[in-house]
């Protein structure tokens, strides 16, 4: 398959996740404006950082007289899962050159990780052209929606009053459900969720994200692997 065809296939694979994340991009743009950023600043933050959840965390902390190191540490805590993503995708992208790996990991978001892993597990190689096709689609629509949200942000005094803040948990829940056929899915998700809730009640946000992830990893390392078919039956029966 030619590089152009691979890139088109990648763009198709990234279209649905991009559309799913689009409202979240608009939400960030609106929230950024409500916190005093200009349209240019909001768009540049999305272009250069491109890490939705941590962008919102940063916006919430900016202007609250919080020490810069604490802002950075909070963003790292939210984005800790990307360390796990990169480790999981390293074998998948092993054939990429170092410059291409650096580019690929910049564009590695939750949907990019999910789509790449699903393609790899289906037995289809993840080529750089395919990867970039998906990445550019997700990245491009995210930034367009950030711009739209920022432009309309002046008309939305309180995004939470419209219930826009629920878009983020719904978005992540859809990603988690995409892996429901994986071994030990239910038990790992349950323990991770419980640990996250307990951490949120004790140490607070954003540390609950890392605590929940670490609890899920620990359980996954302890439990014996189960066949995917057994897990599907378990999910169906529940």
């Amino acid at each position: 398959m030619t590089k152009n065809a691979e890139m088109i296939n990648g763009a198709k694979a990234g279209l649905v996740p991009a559309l799913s994340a689009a409202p979240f991009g608009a939400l960030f743009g609106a929230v950024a404006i409500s916190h005093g950023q200009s349209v240019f600043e909001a768009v540049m933050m999305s272009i250069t950082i491109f890490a939705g959840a941590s962008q919102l965390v940063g916006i919430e902390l900016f202007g609250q007289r919080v020490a810069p190191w604490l802002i950075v540490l909070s963003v790292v805590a939210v984005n800790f899962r990307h360390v796990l993503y990169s480790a999981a995708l390293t074998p998948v992208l092993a054939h990429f050159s170092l410059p291409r790996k650096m580019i690929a990991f910049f564009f590695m978001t939750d949907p990019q990780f999910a789509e790449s892993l699903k393609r790899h597990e289906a037995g289809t190689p993840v080529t750089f052209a395919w990867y970039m096709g998906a990445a550019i689609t997700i990245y491009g629509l995210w930034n367009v929606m950030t711009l739209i949200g920022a432009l309309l942000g002046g008309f939305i005094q309180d995004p939470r009053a419209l219930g826009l803040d629920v878009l983020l948990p719904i978005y992540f829940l859809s990603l988690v459900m995409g892996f429901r056929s994986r071994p030990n899915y239910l038990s790992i998700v349950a323990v991770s969720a419980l640990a996250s809730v307990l951490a949120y009640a004790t140490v607070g946000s954003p540390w609950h994200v890392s605590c929940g992830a670490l609890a899920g990893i620990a359980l996954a390392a302890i439990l014996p692997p189960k066949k995917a078919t057994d897990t599907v039956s378990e999910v169906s029966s529940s």
Side-chain angles (χ1 to χ4, degrees):
M1 187 175 294
T2 65
K3 290 183 179 180
N4 288 340
E6 280 282 273
M7 184 167 286
I8 292 173
N9 284 339
K12 291 178 179 178
L15 183 58
V16 172
L19 291 173
S20 300
F24 184 31
L27 171 63
F28 167 74
V31 170
I33 296 301
S34 69
H35 280 71
Q37 283 200 339
S38 67
V39 173
F40 177 78
E41 289 170 337
V43 172
M44 285 304 297
M45 190 173 182
S46 276
I47 289 175
T48 56
I49 297 178
F50 188 45
S54 59
Q55 287 179 225
L56 280 176
V57 170
I59 286 295
E60 292 290 340
L61 295 177
F62 289 159
Q64 296 187 20
R65 297 182 180 179
V66 177
W69 68 266
L70 184 57
I71 296 178
V72 173
L73 199 59
S74 299
V75 170
V76 169
V78 173
N79 265 9
F80 178 79
R81 68 189 187 281
H82 286 262
V83 176
L84 311 177
Y85 288 171
S86 60
L89 281 189
T90 294
V92 179
L93 309 181
H95 57 288
F96 285 14
S97 64
L98 180 58
R100 287 186 170 186
K101 286 180 181 177
M102 295 174 67
I103 294 172
F105 286 131
F106 170 79
F107 287 107
M108 188 182 63
T109 55
D110 300 285
Q112 184 78 31
F113 166 77
E115 292 300 320
S116 298
L117 195 60
K118 284 192 292 185
R119 181 177 175 86
H120 174 72
E121 292 182 343
T124 307
V126 177
T127 63
F128 185 71
W130 179 91
Y131 189 97
M132 290 306 298
I136 292 172
T137 301
I138 298 171
Y139 180 76
L141 189 55
W142 170 266
N143 285 286
V144 168
M145 294 306 296
T146 295
L147 175 60
I148 293 174
L151 291 173
L152 299 178
F155 300 99
I156 304 175
Q157 298 300 321
D158 185 6
R160 291 180 177 81
L162 300 178
L164 297 179
D165 56 320
V166 303
L167 292 175
L168 178 59
I170 291 174
Y171 168 66
F172 278 112
L173 179 61
S174 67
L175 292 177
V176 172
M177 290 298 294
F179 291 94
R180 62 187 180 277
S181 61
R182 301 294 293 272
N184 299 314
Y185 169 83
L186 288 178
S187 54
I188 292 172
V189 168
V191 168
S192 181
L194 178 61
S196 181
V197 170
L198 292 176
Y200 185 83
T202 54
V203 298
S205 176
W207 309 106
H208 65 293
V209 177
S210 298
C211 292
L214 290 173
I217 293 170
L219 182 62
I222 295 172
L223 290 177
K226 298 170 65 177
K227 294 181 180 181
T229 53
D230 295 337
T231 308
V232 172
S233 299
E234 180 183 346
V235 173
S236 300
S237 62
S238 63

